[in-house]
Amino acid sequence: MKTLFAQSLLGSKISQLFLGRVPAGRAVRGNRPPTHGYGALISAAIPHAGFVFMAGLLFSSQVSAQQKTADSAQVNALDEVLIKATRAQKKTPVSFSNVSKEALAARNLGQDMPILLNFLPSVVTTSDAGNGVGYTGIRVRGSDATRVNVTINGVPYNDSESHGTFWVNMPDFASSVQSVQLQRGVGTSTNGAGAFGASLNLQTEAPTQKSQGELTNTYGSFNTHKHTLKFSSGLINNRFEMSGRVSSINSQGYIDRASSDLKSYFLQSAYVGQKTLIKALLFGGVEKTYQSWNGIDADKYKSDPTYNYSGLYYDDAGNERFYNNQIDYYQQHHFQLHWSQKYSEHFSTQAALHYTKGNGYYENFKEDATLSDYSLTANNGIAQADLVNRKWLDNDFFGTTFSGNYKNEKLDLMIGGSWNQYLGDHFGKVISTSASVALNPNDRYYDDRATKIDATAFAKVNYQLTSKLGLFGDLQFRNVIYNANGLQPQVVRESFGFFNPKAGLTYSLNAQNTAYISYAKAHREPNRTDYEAGNPKPEKLDDYELGWRHTSEKFQWNANLYYMAYTNQLILTGNLDDVGNPIRSNSEQSYRLGLELEAAWKFSKRWLLQPNFTLSQNKNLALEVAGVKVGDKTIAYSPSVVAANRLEFQATQRLKVSWLFKFVGEQYLNNLESDEARLPDYAVNDVNISYEIPIKKVFQSAILNVMGNNIFDKKYISNGYMYDVYPYYYPQAGINFLAGLTLKF
């Protein structure tokens, strides 16, 4: 039975690798959080994997085995139903870019998802550790990650309270992605938090026809290494597939002690019928990163750009020391169950259930801490002592998404919605102290709870008025109820009802040229940090887009003009709170005006050129800071010029060389345009080489990818913040390399 299961489910070659020996998990010592090798990850995932397997088997038993064999086109068509509700189509009048799994693969050598998307239009990325591993961030049109709506198979991913997206919780997720779409601006209606700068929609891998496996090992600068094992059973009896991935990423980071220890897994069970696709997914990750979010001041940057203040203390002799467990530890596990059904050529539906469990903490060494701040009293009456505390977050997120689609030659109508609930516990514990204090491991020096319900309903339509003119309409209703205690200066009891209409026209001049115009309104509620900083107001955005698309055999280009007018925009002040969260405040009136240009020109069989360019103006109007009018000022973190280019040379059938260029213009770290807050522009060049090694036995193919990052060793800063009038920077690595070998079987 074991042999039959291994051969039928995984294929003989895959079963030898996947069911063979794997490295054992490391032992847990002291107060350090557990770290995991492949073996521990697989052991943790197996009980859930059994559920994923049985769910697929149960569904498959309910459908007749007499249906015809599913082919790849049919599988892909059914899989796309999962994400159609949140994606823009060819005739949707918004600005968007699509990225395929093949485009991601050549650069997927351990760096995080934002870094892999760095060369898309209007995108600016940054890395706390300086080399793209660990905590990374993305901004689009100057809007930070809290304003970029992220969905995975249509399921919201942004954190419900902070609105942020923490890619470090899903290391190597790019290895399980089928495609990515980045919509700039408000875009189309989607599930979860409102898009105020962009929407990023990820689709996980579709079921495969044949059994296959993949083993990737990557090594590079700063002792960075990534190991990934993937498998797929292929369609068993042309109906059922099991697939999965386990990954491990480690790096010391460019910044001192900015280490990352990241583990992740992805398991999928799929049933493919003639008109039915059912997928059960379980994926997640465990991350342990040494804190590097403090940055360094301008003077220290000049003398020691890799210096890291985190964990700093002084011993009794006055010597500088660093606490070795000043870490961020978090684990997050996701379950999704999707059902796509095509009832006819014209009508299809999609429904999903999802659940996410996350918990973890920041561990901090506090030198000469005031004990009363931690509800502690020393036996000898001293008021201050050294201590180690942990700030915990334990949360649950669950809900459903659903949609129905009717399509004929003229009409494409989508109706859908979602209901999601978040439960979050925030609490702190002291785990050790130098004072004579009796510590109870169950004592909490703060204990806050938050709940949030987010319900959305939308209807959107593309209707072909004439052979050349198409109408787009989109109505969204969103209701948010947020309750939180323990926040300063108030307990939060908020309820919001938002109506977000969108409309546009698309005109096809001919088969190669299409013009469009659109208007979209969006509203958005404040996040947890906004309430902690004061009494924020919800935001409103009116987004106007005007674009032109040209497509021909050798040349494609898109031009898009946008004007985004904000009321009460929550702008970044440039300051951070005590755990590194950006602090924001309302700007009564502000706008972003810009022009985006992108092109792809295949000017010979071997050469491909893909440039993009964004020129923008981003202003706060009649801004007031601390009650003082400072006039019209540039919005913080909003460069007026962002450009990128990719030049690809197909030297031979097996060898491909790409040169990648990124330019980010000057920006400010606050909203006052002060000289101290000025962040200089920078230009970075990368080289990517991909070579397929000819192999005739054992493996189907072997692919060598080499990435040279910042090959001209540019010294630059991609991000920072202000501490009063003093700038703090996040330096990025100079020249560094990554090389990976992928074996496919």
Side-chain angles (χ1 to χ4, degrees):
M1 182 65 182
K2 178 180 178 181
T3 304
L4 177 62
F5 174 80
Q7 290 180 349
S8 62
L9 182 61
L10 305 177
S12 58
K13 291 182 180 179
I14 301 173
S15 64
Q16 292 169 12
L17 266 172
F18 191 69
L19 300 179
R21 294 185 61 186
V22 292
R26 298 178 183 175
V28 179
R29 296 184 179 179
N31 291 318
R32 297 185 68 87
T35 56
H36 305 271
Y38 283 151
L41 270 173
I42 294 172
S43 298
I46 279 176
H48 304 288
F51 175 77
V52 174
F53 176 82
M54 291 305 297
L57 190 60
L58 175 63
F59 281 116
S60 67
S61 67
Q62 304 300 315
V63 184
S64 171
Q66 303 301 317
Q67 295 172 321
K68 295 181 179 179
T69 300
D71 58 26
S72 58
Q74 173 187 317
V75 171
N76 290 334
L78 287 168
D79 201 54
E80 288 173 0
V81 174
L82 295 179
I83 47 118
K84 185 175 181 181
T86 56
R87 286 212 168 175
Q89 310 298 318
K90 182 179 180 181
K91 294 185 178 180
T92 307
V94 300
S95 176
F96 66 91
S97 299
N98 292 323
V99 183
S100 66
K101 63 182 295 184
E102 291 78 15
L104 292 172
R107 299 182 57 239
N108 182 23
L109 301 176
Q111 294 176 311
D112 224 335
M113 181 66 75
I115 308 302
L116 300 183
L117 303 178
N118 183 47
F119 298 93
L120 293 182
S122 301
V123 167
V124 176
T125 63
T126 187
S127 165
D128 284 5
N131 66 325
V133 181
Y135 271 89
T136 59
I138 186 170
R139 296 193 182 101
V140 184
R141 292 184 178 178
S143 296
D144 67 278
T146 66
R147 317 168 78 69
V148 178
N149 177 287
V150 179
T151 57
I152 300 172
N153 298 323
V155 173
Y157 180 65
N158 295 68
D159 179 75
S160 294
E161 286 197 276
S162 71
H163 299 173
T165 301
F166 303 99
W167 298 102
V168 69
N169 298 334
M170 296 197 305
D172 198 28
F173 193 70
S175 293
S176 296
V177 167
Q178 183 74 23
S179 65
V180 177
Q181 183 179 87
L182 177 67
Q183 297 178 27
R184 292 174 287 276
V186 172
T188 63
S189 288
T190 187
N191 302 316
F196 255 55
S199 298
L200 186 60
N201 305 312
L202 290 83
Q203 177 190 14
T204 56
E205 284 189 309
T208 60
Q209 289 284 321
K210 298 180 180 180
S211 64
Q212 58 187 30
E214 190 174 300
L215 180 63
T216 300
N217 290 287
T218 296
Y219 296 90
S221 302
F222 316 115
N223 197 25
T224 301
H225 50 97
K226 177 176 87 86
H227 311 287
T228 301
L229 174 64
K230 294 177 60 178
F231 74 91
S232 171
S233 67
L235 288 178
I236 301 172
N237 296 327
N238 299 312
R239 285 291 174 265
F240 183 73
E241 186 230 27
M242 274 287 290
S243 60
R245 170 186 58 82
V246 287
S247 300
S248 173
I249 302 175
N250 292 84
S251 178
Q252 292 180 354
Y254 166 68
I255 301 300
D256 294 345
R257 302 181 311 287
S259 60
S260 299
D261 184 359
L262 316 174
K263 306 292 186 293
S264 68
Y265 65 93
F266 181 92
L267 296 168
Q268 174 177 280
S269 173
Y271 169 79
V272 183
Q274 189 174 18
K275 296 183 177 180
T276 304
L277 174 63
I278 297 170
K279 296 172 69 172
L281 294 87
L282 180 75
F283 57 92
V286 180
E287 65 90 3
K288 184 182 71 174
T289 54
Y290 194 96
Q291 295 173 19
S292 56
W293 54 58
N294 287 336
I296 57 173
D297 61 87
D299 290 337
K300 198 67 174 179
Y301 172 69
K302 295 176 183 177
S303 61
D304 188 359
T306 65
Y307 188 84
N308 184 3
Y309 287 106
S310 294
L312 173 66
Y313 71 96
Y314 293 90
D315 62 20
D316 294 338
N319 298 312
E320 186 178 81
R321 304 293 186 194
F322 295 94
Y323 180 58
N324 64 4
N325 209 44
Q326 189 90 354
I327 62 166
D328 170 52
Y329 168 75
Y330 198 78
Q331 57 179 322
Q332 193 173 72
H333 307 281
H334 304 256
F335 172 72
Q336 297 181 1
L337 180 62
H338 296 272
W339 175 25
S340 299
Q341 185 72 38
K342 292 195 72 173
Y343 297 91
S344 68
E345 181 184 353
H346 303 294
F347 184 59
S348 62
T349 60
Q350 175 275 332
L353 297 172
H354 66 88
Y355 172 68
T356 300
K357 177 63 181 178
N359 65 76
Y361 56 80
Y362 308 120
E363 182 169 323
N364 296 282
F365 178 88
K366 299 288 186 178
E367 188 174 23
D368 295 329
T370 301
L371 295 178
S372 60
D373 291 343
Y374 298 87
S375 302
L376 298 176
T377 302
N379 296 332
N380 55 8
I382 65 171
Q384 293 182 316
D386 297 341
L387 60 79
V388 176
N389 71 312
R390 288 178 176 175
K391 294 185 175 182
W392 279 87
L393 173 60
D394 189 347
N395 56 23
D396 301 88
F397 179 63
F398 53 90
T400 180
T401 67
F402 48 87
S403 64
N405 178 229
Y406 177 80
K407 184 177 182 179
N408 59 29
E409 291 182 359
K410 290 188 174 183
L411 177 68
D412 190 349
L413 173 65
M414 178 75 68
I415 298 176
S418 64
W419 181 93
N420 304 295
Q421 183 165 9
Y422 169 88
L423 307 172
D425 288 328
H426 304 257
F427 57 91
K429 294 183 176 183
V430 175
I431 63 173
S432 67
T433 176
S434 63
S436 178
V437 176
L439 292 177
N440 186 333
N442 295 320
D443 285 347
R444 300 179 177 185
Y445 64 90
Y446 70 90
D447 195 352
D448 307 336
R449 183 168 177 81
T451 64
K452 186 173 184 178
I453 296 175
D454 188 337
T456 301
F458 63 83
K460 48 189 172 184
V461 61
N462 277 293
Y463 183 73
Q464 202 65 31
L465 297 170
T466 69
S467 60
K468 292 183 177 293
L469 183 63
L471 171 68
F472 171 76
D474 186 337
L475 301 176
Q476 183 197 55
F477 298 87
R478 183 166 176 255
N479 183 254
V480 177
I481 300 172
Y482 179 54
N483 297 316
N485 63 11
L487 294 182
Q488 297 296 330
Q490 60 184 346
V491 174
V492 177
R493 299 286 185 269
E494 291 279 21
S495 179
F496 302 97
F498 298 135
F499 173 53
N500 301 314
K502 308 171 183 68
L505 293 170
T506 301
Y507 185 76
S508 300
L509 286 78
N510 50 46
Q512 290 79 36
N513 294 281
T514 301
Y516 62 84
I517 185 171
S518 67
Y519 163 78
K521 181 181 286 292
H523 297 81
R524 189 176 175 91
E525 73 278 13
N527 68 13
R528 181 184 178 90
T529 306
D530 297 328
Y531 284 110
E532 290 178 327
N535 296 288
K537 300 175 183 178
E539 308 169 87
K540 183 177 74 173
L541 167 61
D542 294 288
D543 183 14
Y544 304 86
E545 308 272 339
L546 177 64
W548 188 298
R549 299 188 183 111
H550 171 84
T551 303
S552 60
E553 184 178 352
K554 294 186 177 181
F555 185 65
Q556 299 178 15
W557 62 269
N558 301 325
N560 188 77
L561 180 67
Y562 64 88
Y563 177 69
M564 304 168 70
Y566 297 86
T567 301
N568 293 321
Q569 181 182 185
L570 282 160
I571 56 173
L572 296 170
T573 64
N575 298 319
L576 304 181
D577 67 9
D578 60 346
V579 293
N581 294 317
I583 296 175
R584 307 187 300 181
S585 65
N586 288 115
S587 172
E588 187 173 348
Q589 297 293 330
S590 56
Y591 71 85
R592 300 182 187 275
L593 172 65
L595 174 65
E596 296 168 327
L597 301 172
E598 60 176 324
W601 181 25
K602 193 171 182 61
F603 52 90
S604 78
K605 292 182 179 181
R606 297 182 182 273
W607 291 93
L608 173 66
L609 185 67
Q610 290 183 296
N612 63 70
F613 178 83
T614 300
L615 179 65
S616 66
Q617 187 176 66
N618 311 275
K619 292 290 184 180
N620 293 302
L621 302 177
L623 182 67
E624 288 190 13
V625 177
V628 178
K629 293 184 178 180
V630 296
D632 298 351
K633 297 292 184 180
T634 299
I635 301 174
Y637 303 97
S638 300
S640 58
V641 179
V642 177
N645 193 16
R646 176 172 174 258
L647 179 62
E648 179 182 292
F649 175 56
Q650 188 78 46
T652 67
Q653 186 177 359
R654 300 181 183 276
L655 177 62
K656 182 187 296 183
V657 181
S658 299
W659 166 65
L660 303 114
F661 168 81
K662 186 73 177 187
F663 175 83
V664 176
E666 179 183 273
Q667 53 188 304
Y668 291 95
L669 302 180
N670 64 18
N671 296 284
L672 301 177
E673 298 184 6
S674 55
D675 288 338
E676 297 83 2
R678 190 188 306 270
L679 198 64
D681 60 35
Y682 60 88
V684 180
N685 294 268
D686 300 344
V687 172
N688 191 188
I689 301 173
S690 180
Y691 179 66
E692 184 177 359
I693 303 171
I695 295 180
K696 297 182 179 180
K697 296 181 180 181
V698 183
F699 298 100
Q700 292 180 359
S701 66
I703 300 174
L704 176 65
N705 290 307
V706 178
M707 192 76 195
N709 300 294
N710 194 6
I711 59 172
F712 295 135
D713 203 24
K714 170 70 175 180
K715 185 178 181 180
Y716 73 103
I717 307 159
S718 64
N719 193 21
Y721 64 94
M722 298 297 292
Y723 182 74
D724 193 16
V725 296
Y726 303 103
Y728 278 68
Y729 300 140
Y730 296 95
Q732 302 300 288
I735 186 170
N736 63 97
F737 298 93
L738 291 166
L741 179 64
T742 298
L743 302 174
K744 296 184 177 183
F745 47 93

